[in-house]
Amino acid sequence: MARPEAVVTSRFAQLRQQDLAVLLPELLLAGQLIDRSGMAWCIGAFGRAEMTRIAVEEWMAASPVYTRRMQRALGFEGTDVVTIFKGLQLDIGAPPQFMDFRYTVHDRWHGEFRLDHCGALMDVEPLGDEFVTGMCHDIEDPTFDATAVATNPRARVRPIHRPPRTPADRHPHCAWTVVIDDAHPPVGESPGCQRLRSSRAATVALDPIEPGDDGHADYSGPLRGDLDFAEFSKSALVRLADEVCLQMHLLNLGFGHAVRRRTDAEGARRLCVKQLTGIAGIAAQRLHRALRLPGGVEGALRVLELHPLLNPAAYVRAAVGDAVTVTPSPAHEDGAWISLCGPAERRPLRAVVQAVDPRLDVEVEGTAEEWTARVVTRAVPARELDEVAVTRISTGSSFTFEPRRSLPITPVGRESRVQT
């Protein structure tokens, strides 16, 4: 049974509506890059095949949980392909433009999508066909269905074509059908998903969306080809930002459990710290640049305040002023990212502040669950942490979003097909 939570004001509520519209794509992309950070270290620890299994387990555990949360939050619950497609548009597994999903709706129960650009493919294609097959076949087959099960357990996502690409420059990068049919045996949730449903991340209460603001308060209208976050109200964008941060925490919890099944507690903690450190630095750099935050200590504290590591506020208890003070929270109960930081482990916090200025550092005092971090300036710039450098290899670290018009998608009829 879900435990009731006292509602805590979101840290994102301090931002202007236009800044939140810039922030949302950045947060979605940061969620995608979690695997670019973590899986490199899993290959070193367990090999490529086992890394693939870890990825399958984490996404199958997390995506049905956070997909249902997002549907409820934005008011687009349903059982059809439009509901599935709307969920994908707000999923860290499919950040806009970097994973450039294009949708076709034939009717409520039949649809298709293609990826005109797949940033994840661009990252793994140079590694060879084994890695491409691992991602585009071994990972996608079970995880696409696991995401769809949050909407309808009789949904099936099947490839029209997918990489390895033949010819090598084939476009779109892949294309898939989505069919919902009563004749399909229902897909069940994975054991990891069932376990994750009892986490605090799955049940934490967030600020409700307030009606009356300028802009959309939900996504109950037509499916859009591209989401223009500037069309949503400030209240809706605050809730979206918090939900996307929770998606990251849920994915990380799935990752942590999968890793712990394969090694001892200390080995799992080392891998989880490496994963967090890498994504912490790249996300901080992108947030700092996208929101045009100041430099120095002031800028580092602002980035920390808005970073997924410390959000949402209802999940991670922290106060940010002249320093960051962390107290016991639901995130500590789950063993989430914040539980990896403290006086004994400063690397994730250092990665954040050094993304703003390599001369910055953190001094941390307190206990494992209750500590204060102060940002200080050193005389000599620090070398980029190895974990951040590994994550930077992803094309997502330097990806640039472009303005797009948000146009409604209307059903085209069963005779239409995606061009291959």
Side-chain angles (χ1 to χ4, degrees), residues 1-8 199-200 202-206 314 317 330 333:
M1 180 180 295
R3 286 160 287 196
E5 297 282 352
V7 175
V8 179
S199 68
R200 303 303 299 276
T203 59
V204 65
L206 298 177
R317 304 281 194 252
E333 294 180 39

Side-chain angles (χ1 to χ4, degrees), residues 4-77:
E5 297 282 352
V7 175
V8 179
T9 300
S10 171
R11 295 188 187 93
F12 297 118
Q14 63 185 287
L15 295 177
R16 300 176 301 169
Q17 190 268 353
Q18 56 264 46
D19 292 329
L20 287 162
V22 171
L23 175 70
L24 256 299
E26 292 290 343
L27 291 177
L28 287 162
L29 179 55
Q32 167 69 204
L33 297 181
I34 290 172
D35 270 3
R36 304 288 82 74
S37 178
M39 293 307 164
W41 305 103
C42 289
I43 292 171
F46 308 117
R48 184 193 61 79
E50 207 62 23
M51 175 276 293
T52 298
R53 296 185 187 100
I54 290 171
V56 169
E57 289 179 28
E58 66 170 356
W59 286 101
M60 288 186 70
S63 65
V65 179
Y66 66 61
T67 296
R68 290 293 292 165
R69 283 192 61 103
M70 189 65 81
Q71 290 174 353
R72 291 193 297 268
L74 268 291
F76 63 92
E77 291 178 278

Side-chain angles (χ1 to χ4, degrees), residues 250-273:
L250 285 160
L251 185 66
N252 170 63
L253 293 175
F255 173 81
H257 180 78
V259 168
R260 285 191 295 274
R261 293 202 317 112
R262 292 163 169 84
T263 187
D264 59 31
E266 185 54 37
R269 184 178 179 87
R270 283 197 300 270
L271 286 170
C272 289
V273 169

Side-chain angles (χ1 to χ4, degrees), residues 96-112:
Q97 300 183 31
F98 184 70
M99 307 289 287
D100 197 9
F101 280 67
R102 305 286 89 197
Y103 299 101
T104 300
V105 177
H106 299 298
D107 57 43
R108 290 189 65 196
W109 315 116
H110 301 83
E112 298 171 7

Side-chain angles (χ1 to χ4, degrees), residues 39-346:
M39 293 307 164
W41 305 103
C42 289
I43 292 171
F46 308 117
R48 184 193 61 79
E50 207 62 23
M51 175 276 293
T52 298
R53 296 185 187 100
I54 290 171
V56 169
E57 289 179 28
E58 66 170 356
W59 286 101
M60 288 186 70
S63 65
V65 179
Y66 66 61
T67 296
R68 290 293 292 165
R69 283 192 61 103
M70 189 65 81
Q71 290 174 353
R72 291 193 297 268
L74 268 291
F76 63 92
E77 291 178 278
T79 59
D80 57 10
V81 296
V82 167
T83 306
I84 294 172
F85 291 165
K86 286 182 177 182
L88 286 171
Q89 291 178 317
L90 297 166
D91 190 316
I92 58 173
Q97 300 183 31
F98 184 70
M99 307 289 287
D100 197 9
F101 280 67
R102 305 286 89 197
Y103 299 101
T104 300
V105 177
H106 299 298
D107 57 43
R108 290 189 65 196
W109 315 116
H110 301 83
E112 298 171 7
F113 64 82
R114 67 180 190 269
L115 268 73
D116 281 356
H117 176 269
C118 178
L121 177 64
M122 298 298 96
D123 289 347
V124 303
E125 209 167 41
L127 303 177
D129 284 356
E130 278 193 337
F131 282 87
V132 171
T133 300
M135 182 181 73
C136 300
H137 296 242
D138 301 337
I139 294 175
E140 297 295 16
D141 283 350
T143 57
F144 268 145
D145 280 354
T147 298
V149 75
T151 297
N152 194 315
R154 298 186 189 276
R156 296 293 185 274
V157 183
R158 296 293 180 265
I160 299 170
H161 70 82
R162 55 179 164 178
R165 291 193 285 171
T166 304
D169 60 349
R170 184 175 191 176
H171 281 83
H173 288 169
C174 64
W176 302 73
T177 63
V178 182
V179 176
I180 299 171
D181 192 321
D182 286 343
H184 293 158
V187 175
E189 293 180 346
S190 71
C193 179
Q194 294 169 3
R195 185 183 306 106
L196 206 54
R197 286 201 176 280
S198 63
S199 68
R200 303 303 299 276
T203 59
V204 65
L206 298 177
D207 293 349
I209 296 173
E210 298 293 338
D213 283 0
D214 291 338
H216 301 310
D218 57 38
Y219 193 11
S220 60
L223 173 69
R224 315 294 290 190
D226 293 282
L227 281 185
D228 181 356
F229 290 105
E231 294 181 348
F232 286 89
S233 70
K234 175 178 176 178
S235 180
L237 290 172
V238 168
R239 178 61 182 268
L240 274 167
D242 278 337
E243 289 288 351
V244 173
C245 288
L246 271 182
Q247 290 187 16
M248 297 188 224
H249 289 292
L250 285 160
L251 185 66
N252 170 63
L253 293 175
F255 173 81
H257 180 78
V259 168
R260 285 191 295 274
R261 293 202 317 112
R262 292 163 169 84
T263 187
D264 59 31
E266 185 54 37
R269 184 178 179 87
R270 283 197 300 270
L271 286 170
C272 289
V273 169
K274 286 180 177 293
Q275 177 238 51
L276 170 58
T277 302
I279 188 56
I282 295 299
Q285 182 184 64
R286 291 193 60 96
L287 292 178
H288 181 256
R289 181 172 60 241
L291 296 177
R292 300 179 180 180
L293 298 175
V297 173
E298 177 189 0
L301 287 167
R302 289 285 288 135
V303 171
L304 280 164
E305 189 173 22
L306 300 174
H307 199 282
L309 171 62
L310 294 183
N311 286 288
Y315 186 59
V316 186
R317 304 281 194 252
V320 182
D322 294 335
V324 178
T325 300
V326 169
T327 53
S329 65
H332 286 99
E333 294 180 39
D334 280 347
W337 274 336
I338 198 65
S339 67
L340 302 175
C341 303
E345 182 53 78
R346 297 183 296 123

